[in-house]
Amino acid sequence: MGMGRALAVALVGLNGHVVEVEADIGQTLPNFILLGLPDASLSEARERIRAAAHNSGIPLSRRKITVNLIPASLPKKGSAFDLAIVMAALNAAGDVQRTAGTVFLAELGLDGRLRPVQGVLPAVLAAQAAGHEEFVVATANMAEAQLVKGTRVRGYDCLAQVALDFDAALPGLRLERSAAGADLRRHRDGTGGGAGESPPDLSEVAGQPVARLALEIAAAGGHHLMMVGPPGSGKTMLAERLPGLLPDLSDAEAMEVTAIHSLDQRGGDLKLIRRPPYERPHHSASSSAIIGGGSGIPRPGAATRAHRGVLFLDEAPEFDKRVLDALRQPLESGELVLHRAAGTAAYPARFQLVMAANPCPCGKATGKGIHCECTPMARRRYFARLSGPLLDRVDIQLQVQKVQLAQLARTSCGESSAQVATRVRQARERAGARLAPWGLVHNADLTGRILRGPLRLGGHQTAVLDRAMGSGVLSARGYDRVLRLAWTVADLQQRDQPDSDDVGLALTLRQRGEGM
């Protein structure tokens, strides 16, 4: 009897920490002690492991088993440690060999089956960064784990198969080596998120030429968008088509997005996500559902799941004001840092925010507003939830008009998403080449220092902006936001820099919010 070792990974948010699992078999009465700050679900692993090992024909030692999870100061949670603990205990008893350098990530059923767990992709990424290449997972998690290049992943259906491939030689085992346990070194690459589905197309939107242009500009520059208009004017249809205008994610972005979605998904259906995600929470959603939170280590919310994609808040004034104001931090920094008593988790949240609202609670305050039933106080309260600091961070603030009958009657469709996406991609390439010296990607990332320094425009180009700021229509932040929009308009027109018309159009797309 000696010491046994195996490796596992503890996740704190998206950050993984390699955990060394030590097992020692003593000479005293039977007992199973688990050390190293396990949570309740991990503490229950003792009974799962004993039953799984017994039903697999490789029962654990009847003496005292002490398992220590290193580092002991790091809180650990979840059932993903089950396989590593049982392999360390079997290694300590001499029943299996060569476990010390392998990372084990799987939950055990009482019958010995290996069950998939959440967060396999970020766990494998963290372990690889720490210098580990050998991984054992449940078969259902194998495709997800293989997304990480340069690793050797083995997938199994049950504990007995794992034990056999780690040199177990016990009479209770009656299984041959499983083909599922062979080294699989290939890299799988999928589309993720609804492959085969037909995404909504921009050509299905009737009329709304100004709103379509605003959507194209938002996609090309990575700008946030606010649409205010009566019910049925097409605000939701436009927002749903924004992801279809965005280019595919790069390799690094795809891995980042897939790792986030791995935290909320079990099983082997998760493929590499190549398309920008789209999240549309209901207006009754809590702060934990949108920002993230929950008991213990905070979980990601809709804002994090929309990373590198679109977060759409329909009926935005109906959301809780505290939830809306909590979005101000990720809009500026692209990251959410959630502090709880159990620990702190940091999640990426660099998304495009799209908000839609009616002109008033009843939605009838359009045109002359003669059919509106809302009092002036009700209208003020309705928009009061959209704070000035939040709206100041939204570049495009657009008044969407009611669709006319003549526009619905037209048989010819507008441009398709594919046609607009081509221009968006070309505009992003121009912006990327211009912004590369500052390490930026989108025009929406431009800072005032750059806009008033290397990219400063002449007085004749910004005259209309100067007058707007002098009259109090624009804030200093709004001034910079308009300049960002102007650069995106110029990129779509394939011009080297904005002219006065581009700046005027950008100011027009900003006017609605400034007077809200």
Side-chain angles (χ1 to χ4, degrees), residues 60 99 144 157 214 241 282 442 461 487:
L60 297 181
T99 61
E144 179 182 342
D157 294 317
R241 283 146 182 81
H282 191 263
H442 306 127
Q461 295 163 299
W487 277 101

Side-chain angles (χ1 to χ4, degrees), residues 13-14 259-264 287-294 297-306 336 338 345-348:
L14 273 181
I260 292 170
H261 288 259
S262 173
L263 295 176
D264 288 323
S287 176
S288 295
I290 296 179
I291 304 302
I297 299 297
R299 301 287 296 174
T304 295
R305 293 194 300 273
L336 275 166
L338 306 175
Y347 293 108

Side-chain angles (χ1 to χ4, degrees), residues 3 95 97 101 165 198 201 224 226 433 450 462:
M3 291 283 294
D95 295 333
Q97 309 297 324
D165 273 1
S198 178
D201 197 273
H224 305 304
M226 170 77 177
I450 298 174
T462 61

Side-chain angles (χ1 to χ4, degrees), residues 74 102 107 131 156 165 173 189 249 251 309 356 369 416 444 452 480 513:
L74 177 70
T102 302
E107 177 184 329
Y156 298 86
D165 273 1
L173 289 174
D189 188 7
L249 302 176
D251 290 343
S416 67
R452 290 185 292 274
D480 290 341

Side-chain angles (χ1 to χ4, degrees), residues 39-330:
D39 73 339
S41 63
L42 181 51
S43 296
E44 293 172 351
R46 295 173 294 185
E47 302 307 320
R48 287 197 302 270
I49 287 168
R50 280 198 180 278
H54 175 77
N55 292 325
S56 298
I58 43 175
L60 297 181
S61 171
R62 294 184 178 275
R63 299 190 180 275
K64 179 182 178 180
I65 302 175
T66 303
V67 175
N68 185 33
L69 306 177
I70 303 172
S73 60
L74 177 70
K76 303 164 190 75
K77 61 178 295 184
S79 57
F81 292 87
D82 287 5
L83 184 57
I85 293 173
V86 72
M87 292 302 288
L90 292 173
N91 181 232
D95 295 333
V96 298
Q97 309 297 324
R98 304 177 292 104
T99 61
T102 302
V103 181
F104 298 89
L105 301 167
E107 177 184 329
L108 288 174
L110 297 182
D111 57 357
R113 283 184 295 176
L114 268 59
R115 299 179 179 274
V117 294
Q118 296 171 322
V120 164
L121 180 56
V124 173
L125 286 169
Q128 184 193 46
H132 302 286
E133 298 179 352
E134 300 280 349
F135 297 88
V136 170
V137 299
T139 301
N141 279 138
M142 189 166 61
E144 179 182 342
Q146 289 171 343
L147 293 175
V148 184
K149 296 180 180 179
T151 60
R152 291 185 292 275
V153 179
R154 290 180 278 180
Y156 298 86
D157 294 317
C158 65
L159 177 59
Q161 293 174 349
V162 182
L164 280 171
D165 273 1
F166 282 83
D167 299 334
L170 297 177
L173 289 174
R174 294 291 184 270
L175 290 174
E176 297 180 358
R177 291 184 184 272
S178 168
D183 280 356
L184 294 174
R185 305 167 190 265
R186 61 185 177 273
H187 174 70
R188 295 186 179 181
D189 188 7
T191 56
E197 298 178 0
S198 178
D201 197 273
L202 193 59
S203 62
E204 300 166 354
V205 179
Q208 301 296 5
V210 177
R212 291 168 64 99
L213 175 60
L215 200 70
E216 181 177 345
I217 295 173
H223 305 285
H224 305 304
L225 171 65
M226 170 77 177
M227 294 180 286
V228 179
S233 57
K235 303 185 298 293
T236 301
M237 288 186 69
L238 288 162
E240 289 174 343
R241 283 146 182 81
L242 178 56
L245 306 183
L246 302 177
D248 288 344
L249 302 176
S250 66
D251 290 343
E253 292 171 343
M255 289 296 290
E256 196 175 22
V257 171
T258 308
I260 292 170
H261 288 259
S262 173
L263 295 176
D264 288 323
Q265 181 165 338
R266 282 180 177 265
D269 294 334
L270 185 64
K271 298 180 180 179
L272 192 65
I273 298 175
R274 283 293 185 184
R275 293 298 304 151
Y278 174 75
E279 289 288 327
R280 182 187 173 183
H282 191 263
H283 61 75
S284 62
S286 65
S287 176
S288 295
I290 296 179
I291 304 302
S295 60
I297 299 297
R299 301 287 296 174
T304 295
R305 293 194 300 273
H307 179 62
R308 303 294 181 186
V310 177
L311 177 64
F312 177 43
L313 303 184
D314 201 2
E315 305 293 343
E318 299 293 344
F319 282 79
D320 187 277
K321 190 177 188 301
R322 292 173 296 180
V323 173
L324 294 172
D325 284 340
L327 292 174
R328 287 154 54 181
Q329 176 200 352

